[in-house]
């Protein structure tokens, strides 16, 4: 029987390992209760050194959980009316039925509980998602670097370890890339500047930039180790002694013939080398996504700050004013035509002739080309100087890192530190400068630092205050 026919007949291996009802607890109306209880049980059993935990001990833990005022409410009818002990025993029976735990009776007739092996692996992954745990790239890079520099005593085992750690490293980089894309997609959910700034500074910078992205560019930088890793792996691929020794060891580990093992050695070395050579592509994409997110967040915040000046904002203000007048004069909806000021405020009409101010751009037909002589002409120096002047003014308004540092230095003066609310906040441009000060202050090489404080409101601008000090 071929392997394809075997899989078709028996089904994928995963569905033969995991019970059919395994994920029911996490998709049921009681998913919060189940998750809290599973985490509580996993925490107790993970710190237990002996084989299994007595069932009564776990029941006591769950009973204590249900006695707390912050415990999630059980909504299933099976547990309705049960006391805390009844709910605890009910949860244990359900988890055993769904294949999360197994209960065994030892020689002393004491019931002991263990998590299933597949449940343990899934729980570790789920807890990493729950805690927002970030990958430590430095550990994988140092491990690969150390293994590549050695690896002559057990070349087969070492090669598999290098391959596994390289796969973890590439997967982590792809996950970082995906997480930045998720933050970009979520920007559209925020309806005001406060939400955008909170997502940028308190979520994105804290959980992505500081924890992963910054280290990837500094201490965990792959470029510091990549040349030597590639050079040593290429050297091993040209060494017949290494290839034969690694193939002999892999043949025993993978239970294959020596020719297949030798092909695997060459294939593994090629995959690792290509992974490091092509790593720049995903690193560049991560850099682009990070820049894209920062620009998108700032531009969306600037749009929200100036949003009241666009056409949609003006129409909204007009409608609000009309609604206020209707309420003041206690008119019905049909009485809108009785408001005298509307006649001069809004005029809506149809026009059969398009003029230059029309919103519609008509399609121009083909025109006959008439050649004309091209004459030499001297540039208008006055017009040129005027354009240069406007371009210079535009460049001066760009808030670069250097300008923000100079602005902070001028505002600080002789003082060592100030709070953001003490900076000028006369108009929108001043508030935008505050945003850039907070944004650039996260960088390590800036001449000043920032520390978030409580929320404040100054001149109609409400934001989380922060301390600014000169380094």
């Amino acid at each position: 029987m071929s392997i394809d026919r075997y899989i078709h007949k028996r089904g994928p291996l995963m569905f033969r390992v995991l019970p059919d009802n395994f994920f029911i607890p996490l998709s049921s109306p009681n998913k919060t209760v189940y998750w809290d209880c599973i985490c509580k049980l996993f925490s107790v059993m993970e710190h237990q050194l002996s084989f299994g935990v007595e069932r009564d001990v776990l029941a006591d833990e769950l009973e204590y959980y249900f006695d707390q005022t912050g415990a999630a409410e059980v909504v299933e009818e099976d547990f309705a009316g049960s006391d805390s002990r009844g709910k605890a025993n009910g949860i244990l029976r359900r988890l055993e039925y769904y294949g999360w735990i197994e209960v065994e009776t030892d020689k002393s007739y004491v019931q002991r509980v263990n998590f299933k092996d597949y449940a343990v692996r899934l729980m570790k992954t789920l807890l990493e998602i729950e805690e927002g745990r970030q990958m430590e790239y430095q550990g994988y890079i140092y491990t690969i670097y150390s293994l590549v520099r050695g690896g002559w005593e057990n070349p087969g085992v070492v090669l598999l370890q290098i391959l596994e750690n390289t796969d973890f490293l590439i997967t982590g980089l792809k996950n970082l890339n995906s997480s930045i894309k998720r933050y970009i997609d979520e920007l559209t959910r925020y309806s005001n500047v406060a939400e955008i700034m909170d997502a940028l500074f308190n979520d994105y910078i804290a959980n992505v930039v500081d924890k992963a992205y910054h280290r990837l560019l500094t201490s965990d930088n792959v470029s510091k180790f990549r040349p030597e890793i590639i050079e040593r792996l290429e050297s091993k691929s040209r060494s017949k002694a290494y290839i034969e020794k690694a193939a002999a060891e892999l043949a025993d580990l993978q239970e294959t013939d020596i020719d297949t093992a030798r092909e695997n050695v060459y294939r593994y070395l090629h995959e690792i080398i290509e992974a490091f050579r092509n790593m720049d592509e995903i690193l560049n994409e991560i850099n682009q996504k990070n820049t894209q997110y920062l620009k998108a967040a700032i531009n969306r915040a600037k749009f929200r700050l100036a949003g009241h000046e666009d056409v949609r904002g003006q129409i909204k203000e007009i409608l609000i004013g009309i609604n206020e007048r209707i309420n003041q004069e206690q008119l019905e909806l049909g009485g809108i035509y009785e408001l005298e000021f509307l006649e001069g405020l809004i005029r809506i009409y149809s026009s059969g002739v398009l003029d230059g101010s029309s919103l519609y751009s008509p399609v121009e037909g083909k025109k006959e080309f008439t050649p004309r002589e091209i004459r030499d002409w001297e540039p208008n120096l006055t017009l040129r100087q005027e354009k240069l002047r406007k371009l210079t003014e535009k460049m001066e308004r760009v808030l670069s890192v250097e300008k923000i540092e100079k602005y902070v230095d001028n505002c600080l003066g002789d003082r060592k530190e100030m709070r953001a609310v003490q900076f000028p906040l006369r108009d929108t441009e001043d508030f935008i400068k505050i945003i850039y000060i907070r944004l650039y202050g996260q960088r390590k090489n800036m001449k000043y630092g920032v520390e978030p404080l409580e929320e404040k409101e100054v001149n109609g601008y409400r934001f989380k205050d922060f301390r600014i000090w000169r380094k």
Side-chain angles (χ1 to χ4, degrees):
M1 181 184 293
S2 67
I3 186 64
D4 293 336
R5 292 177 60 190
Y6 176 78
I7 292 176
H8 179 73
K9 182 177 180 181
R10 297 288 303 280
L13 180 61
M14 182 183 69
F15 298 124
R16 285 183 279 126
V17 174
L18 293 178
D20 294 337
N21 57 358
F22 181 77
F23 289 105
I24 288 180
L26 300 183
S27 60
S28 68
N30 273 319
K31 57 187 175 184
T32 303
V33 176
Y34 277 116
W35 176 247
D36 288 346
C37 293
I38 290 172
C39 291
K40 173 66 70 175
L41 297 177
F42 190 78
S43 176
V44 173
M45 299 174 72
E46 192 177 29
H47 294 87
Q48 186 72 22
L49 299 178
S50 61
F51 177 76
V53 181
E54 292 185 15
R55 190 182 188 282
D56 290 340
V57 174
L58 298 180
D60 291 340
E61 289 287 339
L62 296 185
E63 181 182 4
Y64 176 76
Y65 164 77
F66 285 113
D67 283 337
Q68 303 301 308
T69 56
E73 190 67 28
V74 177
V75 298
E76 288 188 11
E77 295 181 358
D78 295 352
F79 297 149
S82 301
D83 57 8
S84 297
R85 191 69 178 188
K87 293 177 182 178
N89 286 318
I91 290 291
L92 289 173
R93 287 194 300 269
R94 289 293 185 87
L95 292 179
E96 183 182 9
Y97 172 72
Y98 292 133
W100 282 80
I101 61 176
E102 57 182 351
V103 181
E104 297 179 348
T105 304
D106 61 14
K107 297 179 180 179
S108 302
Y109 301 100
V110 176
Q111 288 186 325
R112 294 186 176 274
V113 180
N114 265 314
F115 269 86
K116 295 281 191 177
D117 57 343
Y118 51 80
V120 172
R121 299 174 67 179
L122 281 170
M123 275 301 299
K124 289 184 178 294
T125 302
L126 293 175
L127 287 173
E128 288 182 0
I129 298 174
E130 169 80 6
E131 298 168 3
R133 195 176 306 165
Q134 295 291 336
M135 173 181 171
E136 292 291 343
Y137 303 98
Q138 192 172 16
Y140 292 121
I141 296 171
Y142 283 166
T143 300
I144 296 170
Y145 181 69
S146 301
L147 292 172
V148 166
R149 300 190 71 180
W152 283 98
E153 295 182 1
N154 301 100
V157 175
V158 171
L159 181 60
L160 292 177
Q161 289 293 317
I162 296 173
L163 181 66
E164 182 180 3
N165 281 273
T166 302
D167 181 65
F168 287 150
L169 177 61
I170 297 298
T171 302
L173 293 175
K174 291 180 179 179
N175 289 339
L176 176 59
N177 190 32
S178 299
S179 66
I180 297 177
K181 182 180 182 301
R182 174 175 60 83
Y183 277 96
I184 295 175
D185 295 339
E186 289 180 350
L187 271 179
T188 57
R189 296 194 298 109
Y190 307 123
S191 58
N192 56 60
V193 178
E195 292 178 352
I196 297 173
M197 294 296 99
D198 182 69
L200 174 61
F201 294 119
N202 299 330
D203 188 1
Y204 179 75
I205 288 182
N207 295 324
V208 176
V209 175
D210 289 345
K211 288 186 178 179
Y213 181 74
H214 178 72
R215 291 200 305 270
L216 185 63
L217 299 180
T218 54
S219 60
D220 298 353
N221 199 324
V222 183
S223 301
K224 295 191 298 183
F225 308 96
R226 181 169 52 180
E228 185 173 352
I229 290 175
I230 294 177
E231 181 182 353
R232 287 180 177 273
L233 289 175
E234 288 181 338
S235 175
K236 292 181 186 296
S237 67
R238 294 189 295 266
S239 172
K240 292 184 178 180
Y242 173 83
I243 296 297
E244 294 301 322
K245 189 174 181 181
E249 191 169 342
L250 278 185
D252 292 336
L253 292 172
Q254 299 177 342
E255 298 181 353
T256 60
D257 57 85
I258 190 67
D259 293 332
T260 303
R262 190 181 298 110
E263 291 179 2
N264 288 338
V265 172
Y266 281 115
R267 180 165 60 87
Y268 295 159
L269 288 171
H270 175 73
E271 290 178 359
I272 298 169
I273 292 172
E274 287 303 306
F276 275 92
R277 281 178 174 168
N278 299 327
M279 204 171 289
D280 280 336
E281 182 177 349
I282 187 171
L283 291 174
N284 291 334
E285 188 171 350
I286 290 173
N287 289 331
Q288 292 174 1
K289 287 265 177 54
N290 177 64
T291 303
Q292 181 182 353
Y293 178 80
L294 296 176
K295 287 184 177 179
I298 293 299
N299 290 336
R300 189 165 180 82
K302 291 169 65 177
F303 171 77
R304 288 298 178 185
L305 286 172
H308 62 281
E309 299 176 358
D310 61 3
V311 175
R312 185 174 60 180
Q314 294 176 18
I315 294 176
K316 181 180 178 181
E317 293 296 329
I318 291 173
L319 295 177
I320 291 175
I322 294 173
N323 183 63
E324 290 177 353
R325 289 291 296 272
I326 289 176
N327 292 333
Q328 287 175 3
E329 302 183 16
Q330 297 181 354
L331 299 175
E332 297 181 355
L333 290 180
I336 187 174
Y337 301 104
E338 300 178 17
L339 299 178
E340 297 179 357
F341 74 95
L342 286 179
E343 183 66 24
L345 179 65
I346 302 175
R347 292 182 181 273
I348 300 178
Y349 60 91
S350 60
S351 175
V353 181
L354 296 175
D355 59 13
S357 61
S358 173
L359 298 177
Y360 172 74
S361 299
V363 179
E364 297 182 1
K366 295 183 179 179
K367 297 181 180 179
E368 183 179 355
F369 174 72
T370 304
R372 292 184 301 175
E373 180 183 358
I374 300 177
R375 300 179 180 180
D376 295 336
W377 57 279
E378 294 293 332
N380 189 327
L381 296 179
T382 304
L383 180 61
R384 183 177 181 182
Q385 292 295 330
E386 179 64 18
K387 289 187 176 181
L388 285 175
R389 183 186 64 80
K390 292 182 179 179
L391 181 61
T392 303
E393 290 179 354
K394 182 179 180 181
M395 294 300 295
E396 289 177 352
R397 289 194 298 268
V398 175
L399 297 177
S400 63
V401 176
E402 293 77 12
K403 290 182 179 179
I404 291 298
E405 283 187 329
K406 185 177 180 180
Y407 176 73
V408 171
D409 186 63
N410 291 336
C411 291
L412 287 176
D414 298 332
R415 290 171 288 191
K416 293 184 179 180
E417 65 176 57
M418 287 178 61
R419 297 175 64 173
V421 294
Q422 296 174 309
F423 276 64
L425 274 174
R426 297 177 297 269
D427 49 29
T428 303
E429 291 186 2
D430 288 339
F431 187 63
I432 292 176
K433 289 180 182 178
I434 293 295
I435 294 176
Y436 275 99
I437 292 173
R438 180 70 171 85
L439 177 65
Y440 291 147
Q442 302 292 328
R443 300 187 178 183
K444 304 297 182 183
N445 57 347
M446 296 297 288
K447 296 179 181 179
Y448 68 91
V450 296
E451 179 185 5
L453 300 173
E454 69 280 357
E455 189 172 283
K456 294 286 185 181
E457 182 172 351
V458 180
N459 296 338
Y461 297 102
R462 184 165 53 86
F463 60 96
K464 284 192 176 181
D465 192 15
F466 53 93
R467 186 171 66 92
I468 307 163
W469 72 90
R470 185 183 284 112
K471 293 183 178 179

